[in-house]
Amino acid sequence: MEALFCIGCGAQIQTENKKAAGYTPAGSIKKAEETGDLYCQRCFRLRHYNEIVDVHITDDEFLKLLHEVGDSQALVVNVIDIFDFNGSVIPGLARFVSGNDILLVGNKRDILPKSVKDSKVTQWLTERAHEEGLRPLDVILTSAQNHQAIKELIERIDTLRKGRDVYVVGVTNVGKSTLINAIIKEITGSKDVITTSRFPGTTLDKIEIPLDDGSYIFDTPGIIHRHQMAHYLTAKNLKYISPKKEIKPKTYQLNPEQTLFLGGLGRFDFISGNKQGFTAYFDNNLKLHRTKLAGADIFYNKHAGSLLTPPTGKEVADFPKLVRHEFTIKDKMDIVYSGLGWIRIKASQDKPAQVAAWAPDGVAVVLRKALI
């Protein structure tokens, strides 16, 4: 069969992988044979609904794109997931954009409890960015889903770019495309204003959004981050790690040598210390199960996929083993399960707590000063 190509971005048409470049439903190809206009689904949605859909590209393609960003004079807007900083960091970004200014955007602010102060979240994100070698000019918190702080973000971009182009970069699952669509709607006043004729440079590697002064906002495809928990779950179970509503904390009174299972996705062991309340911040629908530390391994092996879910069904066999991380806590701290949530621990120098956090192999567990 002769290879077909999208007339919008040049990607080779394929009907197998919805998340890869060039995807087109088989029925659309038949219709296009009549009209002569063959667009991939990404370009079709941009043309008819003014929606930008993220596509996945290979590591090599993304590296090439980062080199292009580094060679340009631009403001780099790096979108990360507040809930999953480690899983949304672009490896080597600091090296590639050296010399260019960075604006760090922490997305999904609306998921955090209202009692969390923005200043604490911003400070934590800044510290984590510095650990990754990034020195952002500013950090701004947004919710692309709820259009929260979009106007403020646009104003900040306009101030910091100083007439330069803007590259928006981020890994998959951080809400980057939703954020771009919110920006477009805010700039134009209506999502029905923009058509593909306004995007003369629409290509596979980036989408160009023209600005009034002749500069552009470039939306780039997302790279797959291997350490995101999202890659181990089916679409049905992604809701447990991508909450859409504000998280409601739950407090569990634990004695030493008790364990708290986070569905089948993780585990928290209270090894030693004074009995206390541990506050869990996870998706409201994720079922937490308390049991004894003795025999917890056997309990997990027996009940993963049944009592302890997700994972479910075929996910169970492919789900990574849980890896143990032990900590001695001597302050009010959060243990963060990257991409899942966190548990707050109250301890002190004279009353320390010995704990262990278990997370899927490759998924980060980090300590931070308690946000609440």
Side-chain angles (χ1 to χ4, degrees), residues 138-158:
D138 201 357
V139 177
I140 189 166
L141 309 180
T142 66
S143 166
Q145 197 71 37
N146 293 348
H147 286 234
Q148 184 178 326
I150 300 301
K151 195 173 289 186
E152 292 89 333
L153 173 59
I154 293 170
E155 291 171 355
R156 203 75 193 102
I157 289 174
D158 202 43

Side-chain angles (χ1 to χ4, degrees), residues 120-317:
K120 276 199 169 184
V121 181
T122 300
Q123 180 184 352
W124 181 70
L125 289 178
T126 302
E127 290 170 357
R128 298 292 295 124
H130 286 177
E131 290 173 10
E132 295 293 332
L134 298 172
R135 293 291 184 271
L137 293 180
D138 201 357
V139 177
I140 189 166
L141 309 180
T142 66
S143 166
Q145 197 71 37
N146 293 348
H147 286 234
Q148 184 178 326
I150 300 301
K151 195 173 289 186
E152 292 89 333
L153 173 59
I154 293 170
E155 291 171 355
R156 203 75 193 102
I157 289 174
D158 202 43
T159 300
L160 294 177
R161 73 183 184 89
K162 298 176 181 177
R164 294 172 293 176
D165 291 333
V166 179
Y167 280 85
V168 184
V169 299
V171 304
T172 56
N173 301 315
V174 298
K176 180 177 64 66
S177 292
T178 306
L179 188 71
I180 285 280
N181 286 325
I183 289 173
I184 291 174
K185 189 172 182 181
E186 187 67 41
I187 289 175
T188 63
S190 171
K191 63 180 181 181
D192 296 326
V193 172
I194 296 179
T195 64
T196 47
S197 61
R198 294 280 301 278
F199 294 91
T202 298
T203 61
L204 174 60
D205 62 349
K206 60 182 179 293
I207 291 175
E208 300 178 358
I209 302 166
L211 299 170
D212 291 339
D213 61 2
S215 300
Y216 291 89
I217 294 178
F218 295 107
D219 174 49
T220 62
I223 186 174
I224 295 175
H225 200 304
R226 304 297 188 273
H227 292 169
Q228 284 183 318
M229 199 179 293
H231 298 307
Y232 304 114
L233 298 176
T234 59
K236 176 187 173 185
N237 286 327
L238 283 179
K239 61 185 179 183
Y240 294 107
I241 61 170
S242 302
K244 301 296 182 187
K245 295 180 180 179
E246 179 187 345
I247 285 175
K248 305 297 182 186
K250 299 172 185 172
T251 300
Y252 294 82
Q253 295 294 329
L254 296 183
N255 291 309
E257 298 188 16
Q258 282 192 308
T259 288
L260 201 60
F261 279 103
L262 319 173
L265 300 175
R267 168 179 155 188
F268 174 79
D269 295 343
F270 182 26
I271 302 169
S272 64
N274 291 344
K275 177 183 178 180
Q276 63 165 290
F278 294 89
T279 304
Y281 297 82
F282 299 98
D283 181 82
N284 302 329
N285 297 310
L286 182 66
K287 289 183 171 58
L288 276 59
H289 190 92
R290 179 168 35 191
T291 187
K292 292 180 180 179
L293 177 54
D297 292 346
I298 297 172
F299 187 89
Y300 181 80
N301 292 334
K302 181 179 179 181
H303 295 292
S306 54
L307 181 63
L308 304 176
T309 59
T312 57
K314 294 180 180 178
E315 291 173 335
V316 179

